[in-house]
């Protein structure tokens, strides 16, 4: 962009300025949506870790985990029907068994609802070790299907 | 024009750092679970002394943590079998702490075990120096909470 004459480069300056601004805006919007995705991903990890800890305590996927997941969804605005839950075992499992839970969620990249977007699957896996002793009374928790 | 280039490089670096942070957080959750289990297994339903159980807690912790990470334990090092981590995870120390002894961040109000590990999250090839890892040191104090039988 070296100015040689009196008027040469003026138009290209104008075009490149807008082009650079457009590029910066594009990256900015993309980065903001990526930030939202990473936030949701971190939250999903924390929730998976919590569910894994309840699974470790009660020896399986109980209604404690299910109710914590539904309150998590209502607080964060995620759609619970879109979350796919996978667990290593429904329970109760033997003490000392390593168990895991995986939550997957399709994150939508969308600027506004009318424009078409695309989805990126995010998933979080967390482990726990069953600390359940058979015969221990578990107050108010029953094993449910995830 | 250069500002756009710097901007894009900044965003990419930030994304890489966020990915590493998520990996480290995930590892920390699993680390807590493995240590909590190891401590509760060795102290449930019997007489114990935190100093004498130290090696057993270390062994159970290594076993469960390596099963979680799909890694092969050897000595105080866990080498992942797949490419989930760029390098081996070091278990720096696991110490039995009695009530009133000092731990980083204060005094132990209850007996427990204090563990430190260092987890590699990023690998970079530095020219002329070689492979370098970005490692995250983690520590956790797991108090003894035996289950009554």
């Amino acid at each position: 962009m070296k100015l040689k004459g009196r008027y040469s480069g003026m138009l290209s300056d104008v075009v490149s300025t807008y082009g650079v601004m457009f590029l910066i805006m594009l990256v900015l919007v993309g980065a903001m949506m990526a930030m939202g995705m990473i936030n949701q991903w971190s939250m999903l990890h924390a929730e998976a870790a919590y569910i894994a800890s309840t699974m470790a305590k009660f020896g399986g996927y109980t209604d404690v985990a299910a109710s914590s997941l539904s309150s998590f969804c209502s607080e964060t605005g995620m759609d619970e029907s879109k979350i796919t839950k996978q667990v290593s075992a429904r329970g109760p499992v033997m003490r000392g068994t390593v168990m895991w839970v995986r939550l997957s969620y399709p994150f939508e990249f969308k600027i506004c609802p009318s424009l078409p977007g695309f989805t990126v699957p995010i998933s979080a896996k967390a482990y726990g070790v069953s600390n359940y002793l058979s015969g221990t009374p578990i107050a108010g928790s029953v094993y449910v299907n995830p | 024009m250069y500002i756009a280039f710097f901007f894009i490089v900044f965003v990419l670096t930030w994304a890489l750092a966020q990915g590493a942070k998520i990996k480290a957080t995930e590892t920390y959750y699993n680390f807590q679970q493995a240590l909590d289990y190891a401590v509760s297994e060795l102290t449930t339903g019997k007489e114990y002394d935190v100093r004498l159980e130290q090696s057993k807690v270390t062994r159970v912790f290594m076993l469960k943590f390596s099963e979680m990470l799909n890694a092969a334990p050897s000595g105080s090092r866990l080498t992942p079998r797949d490419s989930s981590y760029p390098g081996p995870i070091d278990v720096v120390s696991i110490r039995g702490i009695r009530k009133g002894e000092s731990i980083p961040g204060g005094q132990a109000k209850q007996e427990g075990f204090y563990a430190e590990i260092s987890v590699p999250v990023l690998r970079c090839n530095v020219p002329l120096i070689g492979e370098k890892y970005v490692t995250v040191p983690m520590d956790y104090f797991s108090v003894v909470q035996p289950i009554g039988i």
Side-chain angles (χ1 to χ4, degrees), chain A residues 24-132:
Chain A
I24 287 177
M25 288 298 281
L26 205 70
V27 171
L28 204 70
V29 169
M32 275 161 70
M33 280 193 293
M35 214 182 273
M37 190 191 86
I38 284 166
N39 277 346
Q40 247 182 32
W41 203 3
S42 306
M43 291 191 292
L44 208 65
H45 266 297
E47 178 61 18
Y50 178 72
I51 289 179
S53 76
T54 69
M55 281 170 73
K57 190 173 168 62
F58 300 126
Y61 193 85
T62 53
D63 58 348
V64 173
S67 68
S68 111
L69 190 65
S70 58
S71 72
F72 164 78
C73 287
S74 68
E75 277 165 21
T76 57
M78 288 191 202
D79 191 355
E80 199 184 349
S81 57
K82 282 185 189 166
I83 292 186
T84 43
K85 295 149 263 180
Q86 288 170 287
V87 289
S88 59
R90 182 169 166 262
V93 300
M94 259 175 69
R95 189 171 193 227
T97 315
V98 171
M99 50 214 302
W100 51 261
V101 56
R102 190 207 302 272
L103 304 175
S104 318
Y105 186 74
F107 182 80
E108 281 183 36
F109 271 96
K110 234 177 200 183
I111 298 174
C112 67
S114 55
L115 288 171
F118 60 97
T119 59
V120 175
I122 51 178
S123 80
K125 192 177 184 186
Y127 291 86
V129 189
S130 173
N131 208 348
Y132 171 71

Side-chain angles (χ1 to χ4, degrees), chain A residues 28 38 49 53 96 127 129 131, chain B residues 18 30 33 37 40 64 68:
Chain A
L28 204 70
I38 284 166
S53 76
Y127 291 86
V129 189
N131 208 348
Chain B
Q18 289 293 323
N30 296 340
Q33 286 292 319
Y37 173 73
S40 97
K64 296 299 171 192
M68 285 177 178

Side-chain angles (χ1 to χ4, degrees), chain B residues 103-135:
Chain B
I103 48 170
Q107 261 187 339
K109 295 214 169 64
Q110 217 182 314
E111 293 184 303
F113 287 83
Y114 179 75
E116 289 170 291
I117 60 172
S118 82
V119 179
V121 285
L122 282 178
R123 177 171 56 192
C124 40
N125 262 318
V126 185
L128 304 175
I129 295 173
E131 277 188 348
K132 285 280 172 194
Y133 298 113
V134 178
T135 57

